[in-house]
Amino acid sequence: GNSLVIKPSFIYGGTEFSASPPRVAEGYGRIIDGLLSSGPIQAVSSVSPAPIQLVLAPPISVNLVAQAAVAGALGKASGSVDGKDAIMKAAAAAARTS
């Protein structure tokens, strides 16, 4: 059958920071997302060893992860989505009408 496996590096969202469970608030997450999504950081990441690439991977909003999950549940996305760009593409599929 069709299924969607979502593999985000780090998820942010909500209004509060929390240690247990770990949560990063939306405002802070967006700042980190913007920084880690910038061209210079991505250029460094692309030539770095895997552990550094993981640290430099941009986080993704919990809302986009949820939209990707909806796309999977509706059969509009399947397979495996790994990382921000792939998750955003799957999330966009949830909004498409077919």
Side-chain angles (χ1 to χ4, degrees):
N2 291 338
S3 63
L4 179 67
V5 177
I6 304 169
K7 301 179 187 180
S9 61
F10 186 82
I11 302 172
Y12 65 88
T15 58
E16 298 179 1
F17 284 93
S18 173
S20 180
R23 289 199 177 121
V24 174
E26 181 82 19
Y28 179 76
R30 283 187 183 175
I31 292 168
I32 298 302
D33 183 11
L35 175 68
L36 294 179
S37 294
S38 69
I41 298 295
Q42 288 302 295
V44 169
S45 177
S46 70
V47 297
S48 297
I52 301 300
Q53 288 180 1
L54 180 60
V55 170
L56 295 177
I60 189 162
S61 167
V62 66
N63 296 326
L64 286 171
V65 174
Q67 289 171 2
V70 167
L74 295 175
K76 294 183 176 186
S78 62
S80 177
V81 289
D82 192 355
K84 182 179 176 184
D85 292 340
I87 294 169
M88 288 175 65
K89 184 176 178 182
R96 286 196 296 267
T97 57
S98 47

